[in-house]
Amino acid sequence: MKRTNSEKDNISNKEVKLMHDNSKISFTQLPPEVIHQIICFLSGSTKFNEFDFFSIRSKEELEVYILPLENIKTLNNLVKYTSKDLCDNLFLKTFMSDKSNKIMKDKSQKEEENNNAELSLFEKHWLNCFNFQEILLYWIRTSDLDNLQLGTGDISITEMIEMCKIQNLIQCKERGKIMSELKEAENRHYYKYNEGGIYDVNISGDSSEKKKDTVPFNNKDKAQQDLKKRFKRLALKEKDYYLQQQQKGNNIFDLFIFKSLILSLGVNEFFDCDRKKLWANSKYLLPSEKIDQWIDNIDEIDYSTSEWRRENDNNISSDSLNNKVIGLSIEDPLGWERFITNTKFTLKHERMTKRKSEELNEEEKEQISLGPMLTESKLSEKFSNFIFLNLKNIAFFGEQFKNYTFPNSIQILSLYFDSHDFYNNRPKEELNNLFENVTFPNVKYLRIFVDESIYQIGYFEEEKCIDGDDLKSLILKRLLQKNRFPKLNHLVLNEIARNNNLEECDKKLIKQLMTIEVKFARECEEEFQDIFESIKRLNSQLLKYVVIQTPLCVRDRGSVSFNELQDFYSESSFVFSIGYYSIAQYYYICNE
């Protein structure tokens, strides 16, 4: 990005003003230990040693450790403007020392290089910071699992005992929390089969006896040791970092900034697999007031968003509002046309379009017509203001932008499909060109949501109908390509994952993923084990964390048993989680 003259003046000498005799010195002249202290303060690493995961459990307590957005901005600017001067002695990778520039052709030499990789002091700092943020994110998103009562609902005594054991397993493996008695998981208010609950278990006929079922996990020390091992497996090791850098070029500082943004912006509050409400799918991964909407139908607009507030709230200055709007949503093909022609659609325009054409004067007709198409540079300038992008029902970008490269500012992308309009009325062969040749060079988090309803509508003409499963596979194959997402490391599949369709995608991209999350449509729940096995077969060294919506209601066909779930948690190649949405689903159906 081109810098302004004022920016050049500010950073030309990398000057830092010191509050002593109004003097100035070059940033590069500061002692390394001082630079290190500044960066440690901004990155929050001074708090690492005081952090105790076993005593700090609530979200409110954990939020203290989330980096403020201003710290992230400052760190980003500091490294951006000084790395050129500091690269030789602070930020430059020192893999294999003097041999780092040598081309290693022999496989054994590459393996040796990988095993002997060394990071500079500051790279190790960013790696530690990234791993702390990774574990902090995990600890925050699983915090609601501390408060469960799965022994509830319209279930038998035997089923209740099974659900209590499942709760014990989940809390022990994911939170290091144990039970002393199974009754801690029983909700007596809902239990209606036996007044004594799981303590009075009917054996046969009229006879009964007191029975205290054994708690599977009741050793506190063992549970905490296992949790520490879980954290260790979540962390990115130096050799893994070197491998992922070989594959896609993400440096560890960029990964740290990205993970910090996820927490600071509250993106984790909108993760599909952690939702508390069963039907609360959202096309956004940010609060709606942070989203600038470009839509097809003004009736669908969220009136808390920037679009409506800019038009209706005179008390909000455009400058202060623009500081808050960091997300962009472009919805439906007409929304894309309006965006690339810079034709904003307002409530006033909506009223005009509802009138007959002959009732409009020439000035009004001009106001509701599309303007001239933007150039690529102007379009990129518009996109550069946003970190998050939502594209709804958009799979074709027009002749001028079919090869468009989205700017590096876009790091979080949601592709949301709830209408067949994105593929309807097109020749069937065009479906093989979904998403054309557009690329997202700096997107690290990709969420794909395909509402199951679009499969039930069918194609516009019966002879052109495409099967819903085929459409899912086609969308994934076309999207998940290394050249389209060279830096992707977090993939979320919402109602789109089936059987082995991940294995059919570009293996180079799949091998670079560090996190995979899967949420099913209701009719796909029985495929949980198939998806789990297909992810295992990916055999990816970089894959650290897998969250899969897990069917828990033991009375239902396709749900997992205690023993099966224990096997999933025992998987050694990655850390497995069920996600809170699995709990929400169980609470919803257990009383049916």
Side-chain angles (χ1 to χ4, degrees):
M1 187 174 67
K2 217 170 184 178
R3 294 173 182 160
T4 63
N5 289 332
S6 60
E7 286 178 321
K8 289 178 181 176
D9 292 340
N10 288 336
I11 65 172
S12 58
N13 296 315
K14 310 295 183 296
E15 292 175 334
V16 177
K17 292 183 179 180
L18 301 179
M19 301 305 292
H20 179 68
D21 298 331
N22 295 320
S23 61
K24 294 180 181 180
I25 67 169
S26 170
F27 187 79
T28 54
Q29 294 175 359
L30 288 172
E33 60 271 19
V34 174
I35 299 176
H36 186 263
Q37 288 173 0
I38 293 171
I39 292 178
C40 285
F41 173 78
L42 290 172
S43 60
S45 62
T46 53
K47 297 181 179 180
F48 290 1
N49 292 332
E50 67 186 56
F51 192 87
D52 179 4
F53 285 100
F54 301 109
S55 62
I56 305 175
R57 304 185 74 93
S58 71
K59 286 185 178 179
E60 292 74 18
E61 292 176 304
L62 291 167
E63 283 173 357
V64 175
Y65 295 88
I66 296 176
L67 284 185
L69 190 58
E70 287 305 315
N71 283 38
I72 299 172
K73 289 179 181 177
T74 303
L75 275 171
N76 195 45
N77 288 333
L78 178 65
V79 173
K80 176 182 175 183
Y81 291 144
T82 63
S83 60
K84 186 176 180 181
D85 293 315
L86 297 176
C87 65
D88 288 335
N89 49 19
L90 293 179
F91 292 103
L92 185 65
K93 289 167 287 297
T94 57
F95 299 121
M96 294 294 289
S97 296
D98 297 336
K99 297 181 181 179
S100 59
N101 293 323
K102 183 179 179 182
I103 299 176
M104 310 294 278
K105 295 181 179 180
D106 183 74
K107 184 178 179 181
S108 63
Q109 285 181 299
K110 287 185 178 180
E111 290 176 353
E112 183 182 352
E113 179 184 15
N114 184 57
N115 293 331
N116 291 284
E118 292 183 3
L119 302 183
S120 67
L121 171 67
F122 275 70
E123 277 192 312
K124 288 181 180 179
H125 174 81
W126 299 128
L127 184 63
N128 290 335
C129 290
F130 169 78
N131 285 331
F132 179 82
Q133 296 294 318
E134 186 75 272
I135 295 171
L136 179 62
L137 176 59
Y138 167 85
W139 203 233
I140 288 174
R141 65 182 297 184
T142 61
S143 60
D144 289 320
L145 296 178
D146 275 343
N147 304 304
L148 302 179
Q149 279 191 314
L150 298 188
T152 187
D154 188 9
I155 54 179
S156 69
I157 295 173
T158 302
E159 289 168 342
M160 174 172 282
I161 292 173
E162 179 84 348
M163 289 309 302
C164 290
K165 289 181 177 179
I166 285 176
Q167 175 175 326
N168 180 217
L169 170 63
I170 292 169
Q171 291 181 326
C172 178
K173 296 301 181 183
E174 303 225 23
R175 301 289 297 174
K177 181 179 179 179
I178 62 168
M179 293 180 185
S180 56
E181 298 177 314
L182 283 183
K183 73 174 184 177
E184 295 173 31
E186 180 188 357
N187 187 334
R188 297 292 292 274
H189 176 71
Y190 284 98
Y191 187 64
K192 54 188 180 185
Y193 279 94
N194 192 300
E195 287 298 323
I198 61 176
Y199 279 79
D200 288 330
V201 181
N202 264 334
I203 302 301
S204 63
D206 296 328
S207 64
S208 65
E209 65 180 39
K210 286 281 185 184
K211 179 181 178 181
K212 183 176 180 180
D213 275 80
T214 304
V215 178
F217 302 98
N218 57 7
N219 186 320
K220 183 178 179 180
D221 291 338
K222 177 68 164 58
Q224 292 189 353
Q225 287 173 9
D226 288 346
L227 185 63
K228 288 178 180 178
K229 292 178 183 177
R230 192 171 175 87
F231 291 157
K232 191 173 181 180
R233 288 161 58 202
L234 273 174
L236 184 66
K237 300 177 179 63
E238 290 188 16
K239 65 177 183 179
D240 295 337
Y241 165 59
Y242 180 59
L243 175 63
Q244 72 85 35
Q245 196 175 50
Q246 279 185 320
Q247 292 182 356
K248 58 186 167 71
N250 260 334
N251 68 60
I252 192 60
F253 177 75
D254 287 342
L255 288 174
F256 159 72
I257 289 291
F258 166 69
K259 193 63 66 174
S260 300
L261 282 173
I262 291 289
L263 283 163
S264 183
L265 297 175
V267 176
N268 55 292
E269 296 295 327
F270 297 87
F271 282 175
D272 293 323
C273 287
D274 293 334
R275 293 188 181 280
K276 295 183 176 63
K277 295 182 180 178
L278 204 61
W279 310 115
N281 280 313
S282 172
K283 54 197 169 189
Y284 305 136
L285 294 170
L286 288 171
S288 56
E289 65 269 15
K290 294 182 181 292
I291 304 293
D292 187 10
Q293 283 183 306
W294 292 71
I295 66 174
D296 186 356
N297 185 354
I298 203 72
D299 292 334
E300 297 178 2
I301 200 165
D302 183 337
Y303 289 138
S304 64
T305 61
S306 58
E307 160 70 16
W308 183 83
R309 292 173 65 182
R310 266 199 294 271
E311 188 178 351
N312 293 276
D313 193 343
N314 294 325
N315 296 322
I316 300 177
S317 70
S318 59
D319 287 339
S320 63
L321 188 60
N322 286 335
N323 287 335
K324 295 179 181 178
V325 177
I326 54 176
L328 173 67
S329 181
I330 306 175
E331 306 183 17
D332 303 305
L334 185 53
W336 174 254
E337 288 184 26
R338 290 194 173 114
F339 187 78
I340 63 177
T341 58
N342 206 27
T343 308
K344 198 69 177 180
F345 201 53
T346 66
L347 292 169
K348 177 183 176 183
H349 295 152
E350 170 71 4
R351 298 186 191 104
M352 286 194 287
T353 57
K354 289 181 178 178
R355 291 159 54 193
K356 294 180 180 180
S357 179
E358 55 268 22
E359 296 176 359
L360 300 175
N361 58 41
E362 291 302 317
E363 182 180 352
E364 288 174 327
K365 288 181 180 179
E366 186 177 343
Q367 286 185 45
I368 62 174
S369 62
L370 296 175
M373 198 169 293
L374 297 174
T375 62
E376 280 199 22
S377 60
K378 288 292 183 183
L379 185 62
S380 295
E381 190 177 327
K382 286 189 70 175
F383 276 124
S384 64
N385 296 316
F386 305 102
I387 296 171
F388 164 73
L389 173 63
N390 174 64
L391 296 176
K392 176 187 172 186
N393 298 326
I394 298 172
F396 297 92
F397 298 84
E399 185 64 27
Q400 183 171 341
F401 299 109
K402 65 182 181 181
N403 300 312
Y404 180 66
T405 298
F406 283 77
N408 286 338
S409 61
I410 304 296
Q411 296 193 55
I412 304 169
L413 176 64
S414 173
L415 298 174
Y416 188 98
F417 302 98
D418 66 355
S419 167
H420 64 301
D421 289 343
F422 78 92
Y423 66 85
N424 220 350
N425 298 320
R426 288 181 176 272
K428 194 169 183 179
E429 55 270 18
E430 283 195 23
L431 291 179
N432 293 320
N433 198 32
L434 284 175
F435 313 107
E436 299 171 309
N437 295 316
V438 299
T439 57
F440 302 86
N442 203 32
V443 164
K444 298 178 179 66
Y445 181 106
L446 171 63
R447 180 255 206 155
I448 309 170
F449 173 51
V450 181
D451 192 282
E452 58 183 311
S453 63
I454 71 168
Y455 312 131
Q456 300 166 2
I457 298 172
Y459 210 61
F460 187 74
E461 298 177 22
E462 188 174 346
E463 63 272 15
K464 295 180 179 178
C465 184
I466 181 169
D467 178 74
D469 290 344
D470 291 341
L471 181 60
K472 283 183 174 183
S473 293
L474 183 60
I475 288 174
L476 287 182
K477 282 181 184 178
R478 287 292 303 157
L479 273 175
L480 298 184
Q481 298 177 7
K482 170 74 172 178
N483 58 356
R484 198 185 298 279
F485 293 102
K487 295 190 177 182
L488 184 67
N489 62 39
H490 192 143
L491 175 65
V492 180
L493 303 177
N494 190 336
E495 298 191 15
I496 191 172
R498 293 185 73 90
N499 296 329
N500 63 344
N501 54 11
L502 264 183
E503 295 176 85
E504 298 171 0
C505 297
D506 185 350
K507 288 182 173 54
K508 288 183 179 179
L509 180 133
I510 298 301
K511 289 283 189 180
Q512 74 186 32
L513 296 174
M514 296 171 63
T515 302
I516 297 177
E517 303 192 33
V518 178
K519 179 177 170 293
F520 299 112
R522 280 185 69 90
E523 77 274 9
C524 298
E525 292 163 9
E526 295 179 20
E527 296 191 8
F528 164 81
Q529 187 151 354
D530 290 337
I531 293 295
F532 184 90
E533 293 299 326
S534 71
I535 293 176
K536 275 180 62 176
R537 286 193 298 271
L538 297 177
N539 195 27
S540 172
Q541 180 179 330
L542 286 177
L543 186 59
K544 300 296 181 183
Y545 191 39
V546 174
V547 186
I548 306 179
Q549 176 192 338
T550 308
L552 295 174
C553 191
V554 293
R555 71 180 188 192
D556 291 348
R557 184 170 62 90
S559 293
V560 300
S561 67
F562 169 83
N563 290 332
E564 288 172 330
L565 191 58
Q566 191 168 13
D567 289 341
F568 297 137
Y569 277 119
S570 299
E571 173 56 39
S572 60
S573 58
F574 51 75
V575 171
F576 166 76
S577 283
I578 62 168
Y580 193 85
Y581 187 88
S582 304
I583 304 296
Q585 185 188 43
Y586 171 73
Y587 284 150
Y588 182 82
I589 65 176
C590 68
N591 290 302
E592 290 181 345

